[in-house]
Amino acid sequence: MATLVINIGNSSLFCGVFAGARAAKVFRLPIDAAVRLPARVRGRIERAAVSSVVPALTPEVLRLIRRTWAVEPAVLTATAAHGLKIGYRVPAQLGADRVAAALGARTLYPRRHVIIVDCGTATTVTALCADGTVAGGAIFPGVGLAAISLARGTAQLPAAKVRRPRAALGRSPRDGIASGCYFGQLGAIKEVVARVRGEAFGRAAAVVVGTGGGAAAFECEGIFDGVVPDLVLRGLAVFAGRD
């Protein structure tokens, strides 16, 4: 059974087609290019699921799916019937993308504590307990957003693309921004993960999994036990299959 899954993010549409539990195709589209979706997905789609952190765009994507494949998409939200327990004071305020990632993590790491680090426009850290409770977590600017904020919020600092610098000691404004944003993000991830681990799980073991478009940049730093770029899509596929 072919399942179409889409996460509507702040910067892109993250899309996948699953055959059972296997991802047959994974791709991204610009946030304003939903109309290109049918051209990227060939063949019959029998079910679909969508999560979104951009509510204004959600109806357009749902209509496109209905019109193109004649299926009614399941919409994942924090209050949907997904099988997780949400530890937020107001459960509805948890982002749907974090719910999807938690579903994906629970499938890959059943009955284990997991800390999910999703590196996108924002970096989110989410604690998932072994019993399926999303305990909470943290949100801070992603590495790219930090660089954009410096360029927009200062008079003289330039725009800079951030990749892993060869050295922390920058010798130009752009080198300094790359160093500060990359190593600052790395330090923030380490610190937040350590604090979340202690507060959520005490001394119990936890798997730290990286995901999102920016996670690969930190794969060599030893902060993740594994990197699963399509974790959100895996969770959406699980949700689509719930009866």
Side-chain angles (χ1 to χ4, degrees):
M1 179 174 289
T3 302
L4 172 66
V5 292
I6 302 172
N7 178 62
I8 305 171
N10 291 295
S11 303
S12 66
L13 302 179
F14 190 27
C15 311
V17 177
F18 279 72
R22 181 181 66 86
K25 185 172 188 176
V26 173
F27 60 95
R28 291 183 184 270
L29 290 172
I31 193 67
D32 58 351
V35 293
R36 299 183 197 169
L37 183 61
R40 297 293 301 273
V41 179
R42 302 295 185 182
R44 183 181 178 190
I45 294 295
E46 296 168 281
R47 60 190 181 191
V50 173
S51 60
S52 176
V53 297
V54 188
L57 188 56
T58 307
E60 176 187 343
V61 173
L62 297 181
R63 285 193 297 270
L64 182 62
I65 293 171
R66 294 184 189 112
R67 185 171 64 247
T68 305
W69 293 285
V71 298
E72 182 60 35
V75 180
L76 179 60
T77 66
T79 57
H82 45 63
L84 299 173
K85 291 173 280 187
I86 308 299
Y88 263 36
R89 286 189 291 271
V90 182
Q93 292 179 344
L94 180 65
D97 55 337
R98 296 173 73 185
V99 178
L103 283 172
R106 195 176 190 205
T107 301
L108 290 175
Y109 307 101
R111 296 179 297 280
R112 298 184 69 179
H113 297 317
V114 184
I115 298 174
I116 304 157
V117 183
D118 192 338
C119 302
T121 303
T123 297
T124 63
V125 177
T126 306
L128 174 67
C129 301
D131 67 357
T133 299
V134 179
I139 306 170
F140 48 98
V143 64
L145 184 59
I148 291 170
S149 297
L150 284 173
R152 290 181 178 175
T154 63
Q156 292 187 307
L157 291 179
K161 290 186 178 180
V162 179
R163 299 182 179 86
R164 191 187 194 284
R166 295 182 179 178
L169 189 65
R171 296 184 181 275
S172 72
R174 282 191 172 83
D175 289 349
I177 291 169
S179 171
C181 290
Y182 180 88
F183 291 116
Q185 182 82 180
L186 175 61
I189 292 172
K190 288 181 178 179
E191 180 69 13
V192 172
V193 165
R195 289 179 178 269
V196 165
R197 185 199 301 268
E199 293 175 14
F201 311 128
R203 296 185 178 181
V207 177
V208 181
V209 57
T211 191
F218 298 97
E219 193 168 4
C220 65
E221 301 291 355
I223 55 175
F224 302 136
D225 295 307
V227 173
V228 185
D230 63 350
L231 189 65
V232 168
L233 300 186
R234 289 174 185 242
L236 280 169
V238 170
F239 178 67
R242 292 180 65 88
D243 295 324

